[in-house]
Amino acid sequence: MRAQKLPATLLLLLFAISSLHANRRKQKEKIVQTTTNICDISDRDSKVHCYCENSQDINEAIKTECWVFNGGIDKTDPLWPSFTSQSNIETLAFNVRADGGLSFVPTKVLRYLRKLKHFSIKYSSILKIESYAFVNLTSVQEMVLTKNQIVVLSKHAFYNLPNLTVLTLDENRIKKLETDTFYELPVLQKLFLTSNNISVIEDGAFRHLVNLLELELDRNNISDLKKECFDGLANLKRLDLRRNKIAVLNSFTFIELWNLQELLLDYNEIYILAQRTFDGLSQLKKLSLSHNKLVTLTDGLFEGVRGLSALDLRYNKLKRFTMDNLRPIYDNLKTPKSFIYLEGNDFNCDCHLAWMHKLRHEAKSIKIRMSLENFICKFNADPSLSSHFAYYERMGINNNLDDTEKIRNDLDAPDEIGDEIDDIYIDEPKKIRADNERTLLQIPVELLPCPVEVKSVTDRTYTYPSQNEAKDYRNLIQSSSILFIDNTILIFSMFMLLV
Ligand SMILES: *[C@@H]1O[C@H](CO)[C@@H](O)[C@H](O)[C@H]1NC(C)=O
Ligand SMILES: *[C@@H]1O[C@H](CO)[C@@H](O)[C@H](O)[C@H]1NC(C)=O
Ligand SMILES: *[C@@H]1O[C@H](CO)[C@@H](O)[C@H](O)[C@H]1NC(C)=O
Ligand SMILES: *[C@@H]1O[C@H](CO)[C@@H](O)[C@H](O)[C@H]1NC(C)=O
């Protein structure tokens, strides 16, 4: 019996000891688990592996890049608390691989990392940034959430990030910018939302971003800009709205942006600009509206942007760009770095473009001089004038650089003019130019036709408070003649000869 009892007690004892051990081991495992060094994950089944620069020792890593794979990671995964093993991380990036998955912002991890400055997530399947997903991250300076699947930014998604200066949300599918999504971001300077699906910007969406300098909304689906949508952006310097669906811009759209220097509206569908669209943009230097559908510009359009010195209107359907359009900014265009681009429009060679001659001579900017020298318009005047044009064109045709100069040089030898020009005009009229296009600066101001309808357009400006077109036009003729006379007086006498 004893012999039987003893082993029984022993067994019991052994069992007790072993279970105690097992418990210990379990506890130990638990401890080990919570202290897993995320820079040194040995578990093959882990959903995340991180690469740490500098050192991998506990609390020594500064820069860490984590790859998410193995089917993806959920919120309850025991790995998340392991980030406490590296509490000095300053830069943390999550890259989700194709076989991975990350459908939420690991908000808790961000809480552990008190020194985090740069944070990024790429290629995740996050659809929504929940309210307070990024809250109270006092040390974070830059956040990059490019190439995720984000559709919704909840109210207060970015809340109280007192050190955040750059926020990048490019290449997501964000549909709408709601009021109060960006809240308490007192030093945010750059907000990038390129290549999303934004069609709605609620009033006050940026209201709290008083220190924002740069806002990129290009490559979205914006068709409508409400009057209050840019409220609060009093320090914004650059606004990029290229490649959207904007068709109409109303007066005062940008009225709050009184520090804006650069406004980019290229590749939209703009066909209407209200007369006071740009009012309030007193600091604006560069305005680009290329690749839109503008046909006309109201005279006073630039009255509100008197600092403008760079204007791009290429590839619209403009028929007219008059001195009345230009007057508020004309003097700025004489400065060295200015530009005005007008190619790819539908201009006729007539007196409304006479200002080009004047500006060509007054401009210090090489860009302006080049673009004016290469400026081509359509010539549709009556046949008698047409022959004069052909005549001038012929003389300038061999010289692409400075055609007016060429005309002047040719005129130094008046004997040759007669036969030669007539010959060519008669023999090879089509060779002068295949279609009805002319280089405007090759046409002396005096010969620019002034059709009645153009006159009536300019006439309307008599009532305009600033100036009157007729006077300008007279001055133009004078100054242009004087300038030509610089080297030779012949341009004028030749003109007389022709008439
Ligand atoms: C964030 O900070 C504010 C003020 O410091 C505090 O009232 C709030 O409870 C914090 N929120 C969270 C989710 O920590
Ligand atoms: C915010 O950034 C500044 C300058 O980079 C730094 O001195 C300060 O400690 C940061 N604040 C926090 C709470 O980390
Ligand atoms: C963009 O939003 C529209 C609806 O507003 C939706 O039909 C479309 O699928 C979205 N596009 C993308 C790429 O998410
Ligand atoms: C743009 O938005 C309209 C509705 O506002 C939607 O029908 C269209 O699909 C969107 N375009 C793209 C490219 O997502």
Side-chain angles (χ1 to χ4, degrees):
M1 283 289 276
R2 268 190 162 210
Q4 272 182 339
K5 241 185 185 174
L6 192 71
T9 348
L10 244 168
L11 270 173
L12 222 114
L13 200 78
L14 273 174
F15 177 77
I17 290 169
S18 72
S19 71
L20 201 83
H21 263 246
N23 255 347
R24 278 248 181 90
R25 217 183 304 132
K26 255 189 194 162
Q27 264 176 4
K28 211 176 169 192
E29 260 171 22
K30 223 176 173 180
I31 291 163
V32 167
Q33 233 167 30
T34 54
T35 54
T36 295
N37 180 355
I38 52 124
C39 294
D40 188 20
I41 297 169
S42 48
D43 180 2
R44 284 173 168 271
D45 294 331
S46 177
K47 312 286 190 187
V48 173
H49 274 268
C50 299
Y51 170 76
C52 300
E53 274 179 33
N54 309 322
S55 167
Q56 299 193 350
D57 297 343
I58 298 279
N59 285 336
E60 289 295 317
I62 303 293
K63 192 171 175 190
T64 302
E65 190 155 1
C66 297
W67 301 86
V68 182
F69 50 97
N70 273 345
I73 188 165
D74 60 33
K75 274 186 183 169
T76 58
D77 197 285
L79 183 88
W80 294 120
S82 305
F83 277 86
T84 51
S85 65
Q86 291 293 353
S87 59
N88 289 314
I89 290 177
E90 290 179 10
T91 300
L92 175 63
F94 283 103
N95 290 307
V96 183
R97 292 206 342 193
D99 65 340
L102 178 65
S103 60
F104 56 93
V105 174
T107 303
K108 276 189 194 150
V109 168
L110 300 173
R111 297 269 161 75
Y112 301 140
L113 306 176
R114 286 301 181 186
K115 297 190 176 166
L116 191 64
K117 288 191 177 118
H118 308 278
F119 176 65
S120 81
I121 303 179
K122 275 183 191 163
Y123 307 108
S124 79
S125 52
I126 298 171
L127 290 173
K128 182 176 181 182
I129 305 288
E130 306 281 352
S131 297
Y132 309 108
F134 298 101
V135 64
N136 296 354
L137 303 174
T138 49
S139 59
V140 173
Q141 296 171 0
E142 183 177 5
M143 210 139 60
V144 178
L145 301 170
T146 301
K147 292 181 202 271
N148 293 290
Q149 306 281 323
I150 304 165
V151 177
V152 177
L153 299 179
S154 306
K155 181 178 166 149
H156 293 175
F158 302 91
Y159 190 96
N160 192 29
L161 296 145
N163 255 343
L164 186 69
T165 55
V166 183
L167 176 55
T168 306
L169 286 156
D170 293 349
E171 294 180 71
N172 284 287
R173 290 155 55 205
I174 299 164
K175 277 190 185 179
K176 190 173 164 186
L177 296 179
E178 294 178 33
T179 312
D180 298 343
T181 290
F182 308 104
Y183 204 88
E184 299 287 350
L185 309 175
V187 298
L188 190 67
Q189 297 187 346
K190 298 181 181 183
L191 176 56
F192 300 138
L193 287 154
T194 299
S195 294
N196 275 278
N197 194 11
I198 299 166
S199 58
V200 179
I201 303 177
E202 286 187 355
D203 282 350
F206 310 109
R207 190 188 292 148
H208 308 286
L209 303 181
V210 285
N211 286 310
L212 200 68
L213 301 177
E214 228 177 287
L215 176 57
E216 291 188 351
L217 288 163
D218 51 312
R219 294 176 190 269
N220 275 284
N221 196 5
I222 301 167
S223 56
D224 192 21
L225 292 175
K226 295 196 196 73
K227 213 183 252 176
E228 266 102 54
C229 74
F230 298 122
D231 268 18
L233 295 174
N235 283 301
L236 198 70
K237 291 210 168 6
R238 184 171 181 274
L239 176 58
D240 189 347
L241 284 162
R242 286 179 289 185
R243 295 184 193 270
N244 277 285
K245 303 272 161 58
I246 302 166
V248 175
L249 283 173
N250 298 312
S251 287
F252 312 118
T253 300
F254 307 104
I255 194 87
E256 298 288 328
L257 307 177
W258 44 274
N259 269 308
L260 200 69
Q261 297 187 354
E262 198 174 327
L263 176 56
L264 310 177
L265 288 159
D266 314 74
Y267 294 96
N268 276 278
E269 288 158 18
I270 301 169
Y271 68 99
I272 293 181
L273 289 173
Q275 177 163 346
R276 311 193 66 179
T277 297
F278 302 118
D279 274 28
L281 296 172
S282 59
Q283 301 301 309
L284 199 70
K285 291 191 169 68
K286 177 176 172 182
L287 173 62
S288 64
L289 281 156
S290 77
H291 298 272
N292 277 286
K293 296 179 174 168
L294 293 165
V295 176
T296 57
L297 301 176
T298 59
D299 288 342
L301 188 64
F302 302 122
E303 292 285 355
V305 280
R306 289 181 166 267
L308 202 64
S309 61
L311 177 61
D312 187 353
L313 285 162
R314 280 175 299 169
Y315 299 99
N316 277 277
K317 296 176 166 28
L318 289 171
K319 291 190 181 309
R320 207 141 279 156
F321 190 87
T322 65
M323 190 61 192
D324 283 316
N325 294 134
L326 201 59
R327 188 169 294 109
I329 61 169
Y330 185 84
D331 285 343
N332 308 338
L333 297 180
K334 296 182 196 167
T335 59
K337 283 185 179 162
S338 58
F339 65 77
I340 178 167
Y341 296 142
L342 290 167
E343 71 171 90
N345 279 285
D346 204 12
F347 292 109
N348 285 331
C349 310
D350 59 37
C351 62
H352 88 273
L353 291 174
W355 58 265
M356 286 190 174
H357 279 270
K358 183 170 152 77
L359 184 57
R360 165 62 184 80
H361 289 286
E362 291 178 351
K364 291 189 186 68
S365 159
I366 290 166
K367 282 180 182 173
I368 290 211
R369 292 160 71 143
M370 289 295 284
S371 75
L372 291 180
E373 277 163 21
N374 294 323
F375 183 81
I376 285 171
C377 45
K378 289 207 184 79
F379 175 68
N380 295 312
D382 64 86
S384 69
L385 268 176
S386 184
S387 64
H388 296 320
F389 281 114
Y391 187 93
Y392 278 96
E393 290 288 317
R394 168 59 202 127
M395 291 190 293
I397 204 124
N398 298 323
N399 189 336
N400 295 325
L401 279 176
D402 191 338
D403 293 314
T404 49
E405 197 74 37
K406 177 72 177 168
I407 292 173
R408 269 176 266 154
N409 292 340
D410 278 355
L411 289 171
D412 279 327
D415 307 6
E416 294 173 17
I417 291 177
D419 322 328
E420 193 187 304
I421 304 300
D422 276 348
D423 275 358
I424 282 151
Y425 177 62
I426 291 157
D427 291 346
E428 302 173 317
K430 290 276 186 307
K431 249 197 169 179
I432 293 162
R433 222 175 270 263
D435 46 25
N436 61 347
E437 288 180 343
R438 296 289 184 278
T439 302
L440 184 111
L441 286 192
Q442 288 184 349
I443 308 168
V445 153
E446 300 82 354
L447 296 191
L448 283 173
C450 220
V452 179
E453 39 134 2
V454 176
K455 271 206 180 113
S456 74
V457 165
T458 52
D459 279 350
R460 250 189 276 143
T461 66
Y462 287 145
T463 58
Y464 218 75
S466 45
Q467 306 261 347
N468 90 40
E469 181 81 7
K471 198 174 108 209
D472 273 0
Y473 185 53
R474 239 178 287 124
N475 290 341
L476 269 176
I477 291 180
Q478 267 172 16
S479 57
S480 133
S481 300
I482 288 162
L483 281 158
F484 274 96
I485 287 161
D486 273 353
N487 295 324
T488 157
I489 49 155
L490 285 168
I491 183 82
F492 204 73
S493 28
M494 190 188 113
F495 169 61
M496 301 310 270
L497 240 151
L498 286 167
V499 186

